[in-house]
Amino acid sequence: MRKVIVKTKLHNRQNLLMVLNEIGFNFEPSYWQNDRIFVPKNYNREHASPRLSLRTVVRRDGKTIYALVMRQHFAKDGIDIINRTVVEDYAEAAHIIYSLGYTLRADISRRREELQMGESVKLYIDNIDGLDGYYLKIESVLSEKEDPVAARQDLIDTFGVLELRGARPIELTYGELLETGAHDVEDIPTPEDEARAEIERIENGQ
């Protein structure tokens, strides 16, 4: 499944809920989710290396669901290829992953709320253990003919529609945010910040 995904730090969760409620949308009740993320040797997200996640979902009714998720990120096109299947035996699935030479890279727990908007767009509000506050993730399922660059810009433009003033896309994964300790969106460098820093290093002869 081809997806374009953007996320940002939510500075005012309640305001977002109010804006959506005014146009007839409400998030479903929250549930708990854990992802144990495994990567191959010499993993490089920017080179579309596949990563595997063993996912546990505990619904509010107490039902537990296990799933295996494979994800590849294509930075050049700005898309993610995501495949998911339910697994019956969590331990056996973990054994298979380790047998393939994958190693555990991150262990992420969250409380998640979700909202389906139309056929192809879904919103998530995530409260991640180890990170402050809430994050909004918006994803769009693409057809084979859709332009991912245009689709991504449409999702970014949605920040304005939802009255998320000052919101900007965060490129790092939740696992990378936990690794870097960037608890505030202002701590996270944008590509433009990194480019300016590189220019300054060159000008200073470093």
Side-chain angles (χ1 to χ4, degrees):
M1 185 176 291
R2 299 172 71 241
K3 292 184 178 182
V4 171
I5 302 170
V6 297
K7 68 174 173 286
T8 189
K9 180 75 177 288
L10 268 182
H11 293 292
N12 191 329
R13 173 179 171 273
Q14 195 59 37
N15 186 67
L16 171 64
L17 297 180
M18 290 175 59
V19 169
L20 286 167
N21 180 261
E22 289 175 357
I23 58 177
F25 290 102
N26 293 284
F27 281 86
E28 296 178 9
S30 65
Y31 57 88
W32 183 84
Q33 179 176 297
N34 172 266
D35 279 350
R36 299 184 71 202
I37 299 172
F38 299 84
V39 297
K41 186 178 181 181
N42 300 321
Y43 171 76
N44 188 322
R45 178 170 173 259
E46 299 303 313
H47 293 167
S49 299
R51 72 180 196 185
L52 298 173
S53 299
L54 264 182
R55 175 167 294 174
T56 304
V57 176
V58 180
R59 298 285 180 178
R60 290 179 68 88
D61 61 7
K63 182 179 181 180
T64 300
I65 302 170
Y66 301 118
L68 177 64
V69 183
M70 186 182 77
R71 178 173 176 175
Q72 289 178 278
H73 177 71
F74 293 84
K76 181 180 178 181
D77 298 320
I79 64 172
D80 289 88
I81 304 296
I82 301 175
N83 299 97
R84 176 184 179 275
T85 187
V86 173
V87 299
E88 296 295 330
D89 191 322
Y90 186 97
E92 187 66 20
H95 177 72
I96 292 171
I97 291 173
Y98 281 120
S99 297
L100 293 173
Y102 279 65
T103 58
L104 181 64
R105 175 70 174 268
D107 193 327
I108 302 168
S109 294
R110 76 194 100 197
R111 274 142 300 282
R112 166 166 279 188
E113 302 165 80
E114 63 181 62
L115 167 63
Q116 185 75 44
M117 297 186 71
E119 294 183 1
S120 62
V121 177
K122 184 174 283 190
L123 278 63
Y124 301 96
I125 293 178
D126 289 329
N127 179 222
I128 309 294
D129 287 1
L131 295 177
D132 297 331
Y134 294 89
Y135 290 79
L136 174 69
K137 179 182 286 189
I138 310 176
E139 66 178 33
S140 177
V141 178
L142 302 182
S143 68
E144 290 300 324
K145 296 181 179 180
E146 283 187 275
D147 177 10
V149 175
R152 174 179 167 80
Q153 187 57 52
D154 285 344
L155 295 187
I156 294 173
D157 291 343
T158 303
F159 293 165
V161 176
L162 298 177
E163 300 183 15
L164 301 177
R165 297 178 179 84
R168 67 183 190 184
I170 299 174
E171 303 297 336
L172 300 181
T173 66
Y174 289 135
E176 289 166 340
L177 289 175
L178 288 167
E179 286 178 358
T180 60
H183 288 244
D184 194 296
V185 67
E186 300 305 324
D187 297 332
I188 304 168
T190 65
E192 290 77 11
D193 294 334
E194 295 175 346
R196 282 194 292 270
E198 181 63 22
I199 292 172
E200 290 178 1
R201 283 194 292 269
I202 293 173
E203 290 178 344
N204 293 331
Q206 298 179 357

